[in-house]
Amino acid sequence: MSRQADAPGAFDIDADYKPLRDRVRDELRQRIIDDVYPAGTRLVETEIAAQLGVSRLPVREAIRALESEGFVKTIPRRGAVVVELSAQDVEELFDVREALEVLASQQAATRATKAELRRVRSILTRARKALDAGDHIALGKANEAFHDEILKLSHNTLLQALLEPLQGRLHWLLRQTGDPYDLFEEHSAWFEAIASGSAHLAAERAREHARLNREIVRKLLAERHRQTPSA
Amino acid sequence: MSRQADAPGAFDIDADYKPLRDRVRDELRQRIIDDVYPAGTRLVETEIAAQLGVSRLPVREAIRALESEGFVKTIPRRGAVVVELSAQDVEELFDVREALEVLASQQAATRATKAELRRVRSILTRARKALDAGDHIALGKANEAFHDEILKLSHNTLLQALLEPLQGRLHWLLRQTGDPYDLFEEHSAWFEAIASGSAHLAAERAREHARLNREIVRKLLAERHRQTPSA
DNA sequence: AGTGGGGATACTGTATACAGGATCCTAAGC
DNA sequence: GCTTAGGATCCTGTATACAGTATCCCCACT
């Protein structure tokens, strides 16, 4: 997170130290998002440990972390399983996301600095380019980065801590549903509302965006369900 | 929590099994809330392990859990410390609490069953009695239970999972500030709004309640700060 | 052929052991 | 007297080891 945040001149040798558990957690999360471990997959500690060349303990702690992030569910004495997001889970995810993103947007409107706004604008530019180039991967990443940045503009660390894992699950969901929708106009309008400094306007845009997004995912899921009725 | 909640007729031998890590976590959380471990206290794994008569591992996992709940902060290779809630932390806590409790209240208004409403009403009665008897401890517990129940009425498990630890920290804060305020009229009005079935009204009441609560805590903290300017 | 029991197996839960980094104290130098 | 280098100590990070429980498969019995 904050590499050398304070004491700018200080020597900070091996500042990029990260405990094994964190690196394992990141790796496993990525595998879940990338569908290497589809829903229902059992995460067996010994297996993963052997595969990554570490002992069971870091794996164990990583799995616990993923549990608190909502990616896996563990049953006592039975181990961890990658969760399947039910329709209700998705609805709840969007319920909470909407509430928190509206708050983030409001606070961003009143607290964002000019430099921060510039940075977000540059992300939008990146998204535009990816869209024109037809690069779906880059577009998806830019869209994810956009949401992350809006979150930072709120200057509310608790909000960030809560919303980040939720967005992780949403991105997971969106990747499952296929190619990223064209959200460029949406994001632009939302961003301008924040940049205008009006908390009210920013809130309205955030809510609108969240609802549109929810509808898109609903449709995609309904489609997918029609294709694979029972699986 | 939910001992043998589902499958009423099923044999569920040792249903009350709980991994050591969970029992240790509960114990440590309680100690933090009860101010046995005041803010700034270092939680040394070996110490706690010896004291509780378990090995370091369950303690380690418990500490990780408390970290994700926001009670402690761990620095790599340095260990865990009970956090001190800064003024900004408190504000953020209330920001998020307000947003989520408004959502919970809205959903409760449209989803709560008659049986559930009866249960909440009985909690209010308990609070009333505690208030009349001047039993501050019981009043505080009833108020905490009230919030927990409202949360359940929302029938939104994600919302509950997110809000529970936040409320834990709020209760911690409120206990630090001394005797529980008289929130009976407030809670009653809020409850009636939910019982009326109007999402809009329920949302308004929830917001009002959250804001009042925030003001109370602000005043208490300002007072405490005046008494202990630097500590 | 179907069902129930017994044992093997696989995995988690917990304990112990060891390695390496951070802190703190002491002592020497300025 | 103050500062700083060196080492001892403490504590976390990680690995290994053992115990106990759940699952599964196979075989015997009905």
Side-chain angles (χ1 to χ4, degrees), chain A residues 144-155:
Chain A
E144 290 181 14
F146 177 76
H147 278 264
D148 286 348
E149 286 300 322
I150 295 290
L151 201 43
K152 280 187 202 147
L153 298 194
S154 73
H155 291 265

Side-chain angles (χ1 to χ4, degrees), chain B residues 125-160:
Chain B
T125 309
R126 211 166 74 214
R128 175 84 243 175
K129 277 180 189 156
L131 183 63
D132 291 343
D135 185 347
H136 282 183
I137 307 290
L139 178 57
K141 292 210 169 159
N143 283 343
E144 290 181 15
F146 177 78
H147 278 264
D148 286 349
E149 285 301 322
I150 295 290
L151 200 45
K152 280 187 202 147
L153 299 193
S154 73
H155 291 265
N156 186 322
T157 55
L158 176 60
L159 194 49
Q160 289 176 52

